[in-house]
Amino acid sequence: MRVVLLGPPGAGKGTQAQILAGALGVPAISTGDIFRANVSGGTPLGLEAKVFMDAGDLVPDAITVAMVKDRLAEADAAGGFLLDGFPRTIAQAEQLAVSLTELGHGLDRVLEFVVDEEELVARLSTRVVEVDGKQVQREDDKPETVRRRLEVYREQTAPLSGFYEAEGLLARVDAMGPVEEVTARAMAALGQPQTAGQPGAV
Ligand code: ADP
């Protein structure tokens, strides 16, 4: 299965991506995670991306698209994948379609996680992540950067909902409530019956 997860920062895409990918038996590919790994590794890509990330802005499409294209060409993505955080602009979506056509594939489904904005700000400002065994706040989870990320989402990413709806690929998933309930709704939207004890189910 080839799936894209769409939704604002704080909608729980990362958490659901891990669970759903486990259940579907495909890799979860998060552009945010790839960028963060490059930032902590001090690679040229990381140094370039960090400036944009810390400001809550998008990393330019040229950099991001090339990175995803390489990742999708890896062997583990041949049988399917779950993309988390990409595409984030219409241009990225168009490039993704081109890359997939070259690989002889297309997308099966786009899940849009829907949450209300007050909940998002609350989730992000109280979120802690583990870095090198320590619990820290992500640089871009500071309140002013969160506001910028939400603005960027509304302006650049939200239009993807209409883009994929027009292609008949979009399914909206209510992302409020407990993690396991959101997973169950997402699995249903993917046409996958979920049974207790299934790998990846919680
Ligand atoms: P969140 O979903 O919580 O906003 P991510 O981990 O997906 O966070 O992304 C963190 C940052 O990485 C983004 O704010 C952006 O700067 C950069 N980034 C991730 N994915 C993309 C993308 N597809 N295009 C451009 N920038 C991206």
Side-chain angles (χ1 to χ4, degrees):
M1 251 208 164
R2 295 176 177 84
V3 179
V4 162
L5 300 188
L6 203 63
K13 293 190 303 295
T15 304
Q16 294 296 333
Q18 291 303 323
I19 302 170
L20 296 171
L24 298 171
V26 297
I29 300 175
S30 154
T31 41
D33 284 351
I34 303 176
F35 282 133
R36 277 186 291 278
N38 277 278
V39 170
S40 41
T43 68
L45 174 70
L47 291 176
E48 206 169 352
K50 188 177 188 316
V51 186
F52 299 98
M53 295 172 75
D54 287 352
D57 286 322
L58 296 184
V59 178
D61 284 347
I63 301 175
T64 312
V65 166
M67 181 178 91
V68 173
K69 192 175 178 195
D70 289 349
R71 181 63 189 87
L72 292 181
E74 283 177 34
D76 68 333
F81 53 77
L82 204 145
L83 277 173
D84 160 23
F86 183 94
R88 251 179 162 93
T89 63
I90 297 279
Q92 290 181 6
E94 287 168 351
Q95 289 301 313
L96 174 64
V98 171
S99 299
L100 289 177
T101 306
E102 279 170 17
L103 293 165
H105 306 305
L107 289 175
D108 294 302
R109 212 100 184 97
V110 175
L111 299 186
E112 180 183 9
F113 287 110
V114 182
V115 232
D116 69 53
E117 198 155 304
E118 270 170 46
E119 173 78 14
L120 293 178
V121 178
R123 281 188 191 178
L124 289 169
S125 52
T126 56
R127 163 163 90 173
V128 284
V129 290
E130 202 176 298
V131 178
D132 299 332
K134 277 181 274 182
Q135 302 285 316
V136 294
Q137 187 176 44
R138 246 171 63 175
E139 190 62 39
D140 60 351
D141 280 347
K142 307 236 156 86
E144 59 289 2
T145 318
V146 164
R147 274 192 290 275
R148 175 67 191 145
R149 283 162 61 207
L150 288 171
E151 192 179 289
V152 166
Y153 184 81
R154 273 194 298 269
E155 287 170 6
Q156 304 193 51
T157 310
L160 287 177
S161 169
F163 176 92
Y164 284 123
E165 190 161 39
E167 299 203 354
L169 291 172
L170 191 79
R172 289 195 177 84
V173 174
D174 173 7
M176 304 288 289
V179 169
E180 55 273 27
E181 283 179 20
V182 179
T183 304
R185 290 181 205 126
M187 290 295 275
L190 292 172
Q192 306 275 320
Q194 199 192 26
T195 54
Q198 181 178 335
V202 280

